[in-house]
């Protein structure tokens, strides 16, 4: 790594030496080796082969080839000086088909990864589900089927049994809103279904699976662990001061944030959301005892933040209801610069979110398990990317975390998304979130300026 290139973006300040610094990735986005060592297809292997589902027809067959380059990638993390690495375990690698015994070869990869991290002084942080559901379980109904929650808890227990001696922190799910809403309602993520009621059932069964998994893991632990769930959270502000805009913001906040955090932390679904759902003839498939399971205590809330939005209760023609009679909830990007994802850059809303979480769901430490940005990087002839835009994004968002802490929010760590450029789901490889550039032809990794800035910030704050 070139130690002489420094950014003009000032290093972050205002965070204590105990603050946890890390980088994050996810299995399908980086591993490749899709058919090796007994791994079976996940819903993303299938979905990526649907014509038009993923930009450029990309898929995760090779990705960053991390499965074969893991030691070098851990060395890269070491060179950045991070405390922790958040990775996800591929369910179809460890338990092919989603049922039955452990596949030793598949689990062996994660054992080697954990051992390599520990040998470099990097704390492993394992996420058990980052969207790669075994295809066989989707064929049996997927997350809308209640049985999938029990299959997930069994799988979690298998992984936990083998890694609990060396891994301190286990996150059950990454961003269940994406799995449920994008995967089963909008259909832009795997498995690509478009069925609102199925997405509601998926939401409930994901949360149920989380609670069951935490119970299973805690009941078999041989030493204390930290258990968590990671949610993608934003802010939902009314675009204007009209009753319709306020109601649209309430609905967006209800479906995006409170639908998850209320059952997890308060043991009930939000009454206004339940009423909205009933008004359209829908309901969450809650059975007796489910909310007790879902509200099983856990130790850390993982917050993934990318942007905040405004909401309008009218469409562009001024209608308050759509063709099917549903109230309009129109997301509007704040008038700020955007990333290559066309996402607005809204660091002050990050502070607002974290302070709000601290007040509305108190007593739960938070860690930023993802934050970062895609930009259209231009590597020079050596592959170096002078990504001022990404560096500034990281700096402003880390400053937003420090500001939230100053206002009392108990935020204990920050993981940059992502260590590497990788498979950005429906966007394929076109959108680059890495602080390390990946040349997909040669698999060469080159730390970008943002990686050097991140490294220097971590070092300065220690
Ligand atoms: O790449 C994704 C990640 O898998 C989940 N959170 C958002 C990131 C950027 O879209």
């Amino acid at each position: 790594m070139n130690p002489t290139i420094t950014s003009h973006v000032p290093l972050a300040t205002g965070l204590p030496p105990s603050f946890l610094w890390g980088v994050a990735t996810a299995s399908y986005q980086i591993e490749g080796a899709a058919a090796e060592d007994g791994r079976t297809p996940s819903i993303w292997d299938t979905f990526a082969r649907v014509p038009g589902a993923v930009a450029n027809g990309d898929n995760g067959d090779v990705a960053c080839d991390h499965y074969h380059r893991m030691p070098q990638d851990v060395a890269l993390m070491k060179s950045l000086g991070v405390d922790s690495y958040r990775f996800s375990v591929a369910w179809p690698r460890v338990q092919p088909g989603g049922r039955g015994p452990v596949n030793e070869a598949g689990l062996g990869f994660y054992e080697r990864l954990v051992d390599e991290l520990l040998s470099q002084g990097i704390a492993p942080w394992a996420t058990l589900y980052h969207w790669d559901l075994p295809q066989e379980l989707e064929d049996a109904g997927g997350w809308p089927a209640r049985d999938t929650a029990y299959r997930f808890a069994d799988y979690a227990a298998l992984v936990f049994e083998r890694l609990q001696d060396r891994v301190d922190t286990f996150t059950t799910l990454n961003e269940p809103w994406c799995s449920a809403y994008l995967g089963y309602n909008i259909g832009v993520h795997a498995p690509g279904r478009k069925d609102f009621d199925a997405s509601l059932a998926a939401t409930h069964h994901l949360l149920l699976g989380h609670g069951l998994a935490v119970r299973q893991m805690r009941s078999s632990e041989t030493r204390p662990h930290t258990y968590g769930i990671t949610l993608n959270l934003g802010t939902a502000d009314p675009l204007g001061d009209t009753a319709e805009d306020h109601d649209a913001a309430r609905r967006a906040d209800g479906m995006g944030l409170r639908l998850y955090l209320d059952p997890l932390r308060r043991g009930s679904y939000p009454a206004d959301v339940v009423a909205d759902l009933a008004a359209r003839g829908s309901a969450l498939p809650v059975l007796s005892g489910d909310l007790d399971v879902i509200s099983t205590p856990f130790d850390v809330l993982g917050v993934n933040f990318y942007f905040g939005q405004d909401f309008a209760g009218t469409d562009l023609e001024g209608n308050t209801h759509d063709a099917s009679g549903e109230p309009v909830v129109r997301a509007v990007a704040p008038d700020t610069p955007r990333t290559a994802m066309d996402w607005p850059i809204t660091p002050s809303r990050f502070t607002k979110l974290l302070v709000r979480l601290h007040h509305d769901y108190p007593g739960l430490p938070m860690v930023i398990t993802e934050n970062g940005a895609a930009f259209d990087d231009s590597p020079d002839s050596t592959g170096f990317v002078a990504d001022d835009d990404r560096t500034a994004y990281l700096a402003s968002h880390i400053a937003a975390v420090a500001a939230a802490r100053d206002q009392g929010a108990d935020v204990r760590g920050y993981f940059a998304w992502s260590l590497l450029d990788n498979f950005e789901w429906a966007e394929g490889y076109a959108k680059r979130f890495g602080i390390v550039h990946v040349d997909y032809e040669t698999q060469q990794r080159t730390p970008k300026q943002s990686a050097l800035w991140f490294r220097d910030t971590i070092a300065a704050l220690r």
Side-chain angles (χ1 to χ4, degrees):
M1 188 178 307
N2 188 338
T4 62
I5 300 168
T6 52
S7 162
H8 61 74
V9 177
L11 298 182
T13 57
L15 292 160
S18 60
F19 198 72
L20 185 76
W21 294 100
V23 286
T25 66
S27 47
Y28 190 70
Q29 294 182 271
I30 65 164
E31 285 179 0
E36 272 182 56
D37 292 338
R39 181 185 180 279
T40 53
S42 76
I43 53 175
W44 270 97
D45 296 275
T46 307
F47 185 67
R49 281 168 172 76
V50 174
V54 174
N56 195 40
D58 291 341
N59 61 55
D61 284 1
V62 177
C64 304
D65 197 32
H66 171 73
Y67 194 74
H68 300 118
R69 296 165 191 265
M70 179 271 288
Q72 296 95 303
D73 288 339
V74 173
L76 196 50
M77 295 171 214
K78 173 79 176 166
S79 74
L80 298 178
V82 296
D83 302 307
S84 184
Y85 173 49
R86 174 179 177 253
F87 61 94
S88 78
V89 177
W91 188 347
R93 216 180 264 298
V94 163
Q95 192 187 35
R99 301 169 196 274
V102 158
N103 169 33
E104 290 297 333
L107 189 66
F109 171 72
Y110 299 103
E111 297 203 292
R112 290 194 302 281
L113 168 62
V114 164
D115 290 343
E116 188 70 25
L117 289 165
L118 292 173
S119 76
Q120 297 299 326
I122 299 170
W125 178 310
T127 296
L128 294 166
Y129 185 75
H130 197 127
W131 307 355
D132 35 9
L133 184 72
Q135 181 61 42
E136 282 88 338
L137 292 186
E138 175 57 26
D139 295 342
W143 286 109
R146 188 176 173 90
D147 186 58
T148 303
Y150 294 90
R151 300 284 65 74
F152 174 67
D154 285 354
Y155 150 73
L158 289 181
V159 176
F160 184 74
E161 184 190 348
R162 295 287 288 275
L163 297 184
Q164 69 150 315
D165 59 338
R166 287 158 285 170
V167 175
D168 293 340
T169 306
F170 287 86
T171 291
T172 53
L173 307 174
N174 179 73
E175 302 183 351
W177 179 89
C178 293
S179 299
Y181 189 77
L182 300 180
Y184 290 97
N185 183 36
I186 305 293
V188 295
H189 276 192
R193 288 168 62 179
K194 294 180 183 163
D195 177 340
F196 182 75
D197 287 343
S199 85
L200 276 186
T203 299
H204 183 65
H205 296 142
L206 282 152
L207 292 171
L208 184 65
H210 154 81
L212 291 167
V214 171
R215 287 186 172 191
Q216 285 245 28
M217 291 190 282
R218 222 191 268 285
S219 70
S220 63
E221 68 183 4
T222 55
R223 65 189 183 97
H225 291 79
T226 300
Y227 302 100
I229 184 170
T230 279
L231 304 178
N232 54 308
L233 301 172
T235 50
D237 291 302
L239 180 65
D241 204 15
T242 64
E244 288 86 3
D245 289 359
H246 279 277
D247 196 54
R250 175 192 66 76
R251 286 171 185 272
D253 183 65
M255 290 298 287
L257 186 148
R258 292 182 288 116
L259 186 62
Y260 295 86
L261 276 166
D262 276 24
L264 286 166
R265 293 296 289 166
R266 298 177 177 172
S268 59
Y269 283 111
D272 62 317
V273 175
V274 171
D276 292 342
L277 294 173
R280 62 180 292 177
S282 297
L284 292 142
V286 182
L287 299 188
S288 171
D290 284 2
L291 287 157
D292 288 342
V293 175
I294 292 172
S295 59
T296 299
F298 60 95
D299 311 301
V300 63
L301 175 65
V303 176
N304 291 359
F305 179 86
Y306 289 90
F307 58 90
Q309 286 175 303
D310 296 329
F311 285 88
T314 50
D315 64 18
L316 293 172
E317 282 79 47
N319 301 307
T320 56
H321 289 75
D322 65 19
S324 59
E326 287 304 306
V328 169
V329 179
R330 179 166 58 94
V332 182
D335 189 14
T336 63
R338 314 265 182 105
T339 70
M341 296 290 280
D342 209 25
W343 293 348
I345 300 174
T346 58
S348 63
R349 298 192 189 205
F350 194 11
T351 305
K352 180 177 172 183
L353 169 72
L354 295 169
V355 173
R356 182 260 179 116
L357 293 173
H358 168 67
H359 287 299
D360 287 1
Y361 303 96
L364 185 60
M366 293 179 270
V367 166
I368 310 309
T369 39
E370 286 182 27
N371 177 242
F375 288 103
D376 293 328
D377 295 330
S378 315
D380 67 18
S381 59
T382 68
F384 184 75
V385 177
D387 55 344
D388 276 337
D389 36 21
R390 185 176 292 99
T391 311
Y393 181 99
L394 295 180
S396 62
H397 286 74
I398 290 170
V401 172
R405 281 174 52 96
D406 288 346
Q407 294 175 52
D410 185 7
V411 186
R412 301 191 181 175
Y414 177 98
F415 287 74
W417 183 269
S418 179
L419 172 69
L420 302 171
D421 290 334
N422 60 46
F423 177 78
E424 178 51 27
W425 308 112
E427 306 293 338
Y429 296 99
K431 302 296 180 203
R432 292 175 177 268
F433 276 87
I435 58 172
V436 173
H437 180 262
V438 176
D439 178 330
Y440 293 114
E441 295 292 312
T442 62
Q443 290 295 349
Q444 187 183 339
R445 278 81 158 127
T446 309
K448 303 177 191 176
Q449 179 174 271
S450 52
L452 306 184
W453 178 92
F454 195 55
R455 174 199 66 184
D456 292 348
T457 285
I458 295 170
L461 287 169
R462 282 244 164 78

Coordinates of all heavy atoms in Angstrom, one line a residue, residues 232-276:
N232 N -31.5 -2.1 7.9 CA -31.2 -0.9 7.1 C -32.2 0.1 7.4 O -33.4 -0.1 7.3 CB -31.2 -1.2 5.6 CG -32.5 -1.9 5.1 OD1 -32.9 -2.9 5.7 ND2 -33.2 -1.3 4.1
L233 N -31.7 1.2 7.9 CA -32.6 2.2 8.5 C -32.3 3.6 7.8 O -31.2 3.9 7.6 CB -32.5 2.3 10.0 CG -32.7 1.0 10.7 CD1 -32.4 1.2 12.2 CD2 -34.2 0.6 10.6
G234 N -33.4 4.4 7.6 CA -33.2 5.7 7.1 C -34.1 6.6 7.9 O -34.6 6.3 9.0
T235 N -34.2 7.9 7.4 CA -35.1 8.8 8.1 C -36.2 9.1 7.0 O -36.0 9.1 5.8 CB -34.5 10.1 8.4 OG1 -33.7 10.6 7.3 CG2 -33.5 9.9 9.6
A236 N -37.5 9.3 7.5 CA -38.6 9.6 6.7 C -39.2 10.9 7.1 O -39.9 10.9 8.1 CB -39.6 8.4 6.8
D237 N -38.9 11.9 6.4 CA -39.5 13.3 6.8 C -40.6 13.6 5.8 O -40.5 13.3 4.6 CB -38.4 14.3 6.7 CG -37.4 14.1 7.8 OD1 -37.8 14.2 9.0 OD2 -36.2 13.9 7.5
P238 N -41.6 14.4 6.2 CA -42.6 14.9 5.3 C -42.0 15.9 4.3 O -41.2 16.7 4.8 CB -43.7 15.5 6.2 CG -43.0 15.7 7.5 CD -41.8 14.8 7.6
L239 N -42.3 15.8 3.1 CA -41.8 16.7 2.1 C -42.2 18.1 2.4 O -41.5 19.1 2.4 CB -42.2 16.3 0.7 CG -41.7 17.2 -0.5 CD1 -40.2 17.1 -0.6 CD2 -42.4 16.8 -1.8
G240 N -43.5 18.3 2.6 CA -44.1 19.6 3.0 C -44.9 19.5 4.3 O -44.8 18.4 4.9
D241 N -45.6 20.5 4.6 CA -46.3 20.5 5.9 C -47.8 20.1 5.7 O -48.6 20.5 6.5 CB -46.1 21.9 6.6 CG -46.2 21.7 8.1 OD1 -46.2 20.6 8.6 OD2 -46.5 22.8 8.7
T242 N -48.1 19.4 4.7 CA -49.5 19.0 4.5 C -49.8 17.8 5.3 O -48.9 17.0 5.6 CB -49.8 18.7 3.0 OG1 -49.0 17.6 2.6 CG2 -49.4 19.9 2.1
A243 N -51.1 17.5 5.5 CA -51.5 16.3 6.3 C -51.1 15.1 5.5 O -50.7 14.1 6.0 CB -53.0 16.4 6.5
E244 N -51.2 15.2 4.1 CA -50.9 14.0 3.3 C -49.4 13.7 3.4 O -49.0 12.5 3.4 CB -51.3 14.3 1.8 CG -52.7 14.3 1.5 CD -53.3 15.7 1.7 OE1 -52.6 16.6 2.1 OE2 -54.5 15.8 1.6
D245 N -48.6 14.7 3.4 CA -47.1 14.4 3.4 C -46.7 13.9 4.8 O -45.9 12.9 4.9 CB -46.3 15.7 3.1 CG -46.4 16.1 1.7 OD1 -47.1 15.4 0.9 OD2 -45.8 17.1 1.3
H246 N -47.3 14.4 5.8 CA -47.1 13.8 7.2 C -47.5 12.4 7.2 O -46.8 11.5 7.8 CB -47.7 14.7 8.2 CG -47.0 15.9 8.6 ND1 -45.9 15.9 9.5 CD2 -47.1 17.2 8.2 CE1 -45.4 17.1 9.6 NE2 -46.1 17.9 8.8
D247 N -48.7 12.1 6.6 CA -49.1 10.7 6.7 C -48.2 9.8 5.9 O -48.0 8.6 6.3 CB -50.6 10.6 6.2 CG -51.2 9.3 6.6 OD1 -51.2 9.0 7.9 OD2 -51.7 8.5 5.8
A248 N -47.8 10.3 4.7 CA -46.9 9.5 3.9 C -45.6 9.1 4.7 O -45.1 8.0 4.6 CB -46.6 10.2 2.6
A249 N -45.1 10.2 5.4 CA -43.8 9.9 6.2 C -44.1 8.9 7.3 O -43.3 8.1 7.5 CB -43.3 11.3 6.7
R250 N -45.2 9.0 7.9 CA -45.6 8.1 9.0 C -45.7 6.7 8.4 O -45.1 5.7 9.0 CB -47.0 8.4 9.6 CG -47.5 7.4 10.6 CD -48.9 7.6 11.0 NE -49.9 7.4 9.9 CZ -50.2 6.2 9.4 NH1 -49.7 5.1 10.0 NH2 -51.1 6.1 8.4
R251 N -46.3 6.5 7.2 CA -46.4 5.2 6.6 C -45.0 4.6 6.3 O -44.8 3.4 6.5 CB -47.3 5.2 5.4 CG -48.8 5.4 5.7 CD -49.6 5.7 4.4 NE -51.0 6.0 4.7 CZ -51.9 5.0 4.9 NH1 -51.6 3.8 4.6 NH2 -53.1 5.3 5.2
A252 N -44.2 5.5 5.7 CA -42.9 5.0 5.3 C -42.1 4.6 6.5 O -41.4 3.5 6.5 CB -42.1 6.1 4.5
D253 N -42.1 5.4 7.5 CA -41.4 5.1 8.8 C -42.0 3.8 9.4 O -41.2 2.9 9.9 CB -41.5 6.2 9.7 CG -40.7 6.0 11.0 OD1 -39.5 5.9 10.9 OD2 -41.4 5.9 12.1
G254 N -43.3 3.7 9.3 CA -43.9 2.5 9.9 C -43.5 1.2 9.2 O -43.1 0.2 9.8
M255 N -43.5 1.2 7.8 CA -43.1 0.0 7.1 C -41.6 -0.3 7.0 O -41.2 -1.4 6.9 CB -43.7 0.1 5.7 CG -45.2 0.0 5.6 SD -45.9 -1.6 6.1 CE -45.4 -2.7 4.8
G256 N -40.9 0.8 7.2 CA -39.4 0.6 7.0 C -38.6 0.5 8.3 O -37.6 -0.2 8.3
L257 N -39.1 1.0 9.4 CA -38.4 1.0 10.6 C -39.2 0.4 11.8 O -38.7 -0.5 12.4 CB -37.9 2.5 11.0 CG -37.0 2.7 12.1 CD1 -36.1 3.9 11.9 CD2 -37.7 2.9 13.5
R258 N -40.4 1.0 12.1 CA -41.1 0.5 13.2 C -41.6 -0.9 13.1 O -41.8 -1.6 14.1 CB -42.2 1.5 13.6 CG -41.7 2.9 14.1 CD -42.8 3.8 14.4 NE -43.5 4.4 13.3 CZ -44.8 4.1 13.0 NH1 -45.5 3.4 13.9 NH2 -45.3 4.7 11.9
L259 N -41.9 -1.3 11.8 CA -42.4 -2.7 11.6 C -41.3 -3.7 12.1 O -41.7 -4.9 12.4 CB -42.7 -2.9 10.1 CG -43.3 -4.2 9.7 CD1 -44.7 -4.4 10.3 CD2 -43.4 -4.3 8.2
Y260 N -40.1 -3.3 12.2 CA -39.0 -4.2 12.6 C -38.7 -4.0 14.1 O -38.6 -4.9 14.9 CB -37.8 -4.0 11.7 CG -38.1 -4.5 10.3 CD1 -38.7 -3.6 9.4 CD2 -37.9 -5.8 9.9 CE1 -39.1 -4.0 8.1 CE2 -38.3 -6.2 8.6 CZ -38.9 -5.3 7.7 OH -39.3 -5.8 6.5
L261 N -38.4 -2.7 14.4 CA -37.9 -2.4 15.7 C -39.0 -2.6 16.8 O -38.7 -2.9 17.9 CB -37.3 -1.0 15.8 CG -35.8 -1.1 15.3 CD1 -35.3 0.3 15.0 CD2 -34.9 -1.8 16.3
D262 N -40.2 -2.3 16.5 CA -41.3 -2.4 17.5 C -41.4 -3.9 18.0 O -41.4 -4.1 19.2 CB -42.6 -1.9 17.1 CG -42.7 -0.4 17.3 OD1 -41.7 0.3 17.3 OD2 -43.9 0.1 17.4
P263 N -41.6 -4.8 17.1 CA -41.7 -6.2 17.6 C -40.4 -6.7 18.3 O -40.4 -7.4 19.3 CB -42.0 -7.0 16.4 CG -41.6 -6.2 15.2 CD -41.8 -4.8 15.7
L264 N -39.2 -6.3 17.7 CA -38.0 -6.7 18.3 C -37.8 -6.1 19.7 O -37.3 -6.8 20.6 CB -36.8 -6.2 17.4 CG -36.6 -7.0 16.1 CD1 -35.6 -6.2 15.2 CD2 -36.0 -8.4 16.3
R265 N -38.1 -4.9 19.9 CA -37.8 -4.2 21.2 C -39.0 -4.0 22.1 O -38.9 -3.8 23.3 CB -37.1 -2.9 20.9 CG -35.8 -3.0 20.3 CD -34.8 -3.7 21.2 NE -34.4 -2.9 22.3 CZ -33.8 -3.3 23.4 NH1 -33.5 -4.6 23.5 NH2 -33.4 -2.5 24.4
R266 N -40.2 -4.0 21.5 CA -41.4 -3.7 22.3 C -42.4 -4.9 22.4 O -43.4 -4.9 23.1 CB -42.1 -2.5 21.8 CG -41.3 -1.2 21.9 CD -42.0 0.0 21.3 NE -41.2 1.2 21.4 CZ -41.5 2.3 20.8 NH1 -42.6 2.4 20.1 NH2 -40.8 3.4 21.0
G267 N -42.1 -5.9 21.6 CA -42.9 -7.1 21.6 C -44.3 -6.9 20.9 O -45.2 -7.7 21.2
S268 N -44.4 -5.9 20.1 CA -45.7 -5.8 19.4 C -45.5 -5.1 18.0 O -44.5 -4.3 17.9 CB -46.7 -4.9 20.2 OG -46.1 -3.7 20.5
Y269 N -46.3 -5.4 17.0 CA -46.2 -4.6 15.8 C -46.9 -3.3 16.0 O -47.8 -3.2 16.8 CB -46.9 -5.4 14.7 CG -46.0 -6.6 14.1 CD1 -46.4 -7.9 14.4 CD2 -44.9 -6.3 13.4 CE1 -45.6 -8.9 13.9 CE2 -44.1 -7.3 13.0 CZ -44.4 -8.6 13.2 OH -43.6 -9.7 12.7
P270 N -46.5 -2.2 15.3 CA -47.0 -0.9 15.5 C -48.5 -0.9 15.1 O -48.9 -1.3 14.0 CB -46.2 0.0 14.6 CG -45.3 -0.9 13.8 CD -45.3 -2.2 14.4
A271 N -49.3 -0.3 16.0 CA -50.8 -0.4 15.9 C -51.2 0.3 14.6 O -52.1 -0.1 13.9 CB -51.5 0.2 17.1
D272 N -50.6 1.5 14.3 CA -51.0 2.2 13.1 C -50.7 1.4 11.8 O -51.5 1.4 10.9 CB -50.4 3.6 13.1 CG -48.8 3.6 13.0 OD1 -48.2 2.8 13.7 OD2 -48.3 4.3 12.2
V273 N -49.6 0.7 11.8 CA -49.2 -0.1 10.6 C -50.2 -1.3 10.5 O -50.7 -1.6 9.4 CB -47.8 -0.6 10.7 CG1 -47.4 -1.5 9.6 CG2 -46.8 0.6 10.8
V274 N -50.5 -1.9 11.6 CA -51.4 -3.0 11.6 C -52.8 -2.5 11.0 O -53.4 -3.2 10.2 CB -51.6 -3.6 13.0 CG1 -52.7 -4.7 13.0 CG2 -50.2 -4.3 13.4
A275 N -53.2 -1.3 11.5 CA -54.5 -0.8 11.0 C -54.4 -0.5 9.5 O -55.3 -0.7 8.7 CB -54.8 0.5 11.8
D276 N -53.3 0.1 9.0 CA -53.1 0.4 7.6 C -53.2 -0.9 6.8 O -53.8 -1.0 5.7 CB -51.8 1.0 7.3 CG -51.6 2.4 7.9 OD1 -52.6 3.1 8.2 OD2 -50.5 2.9 8.0

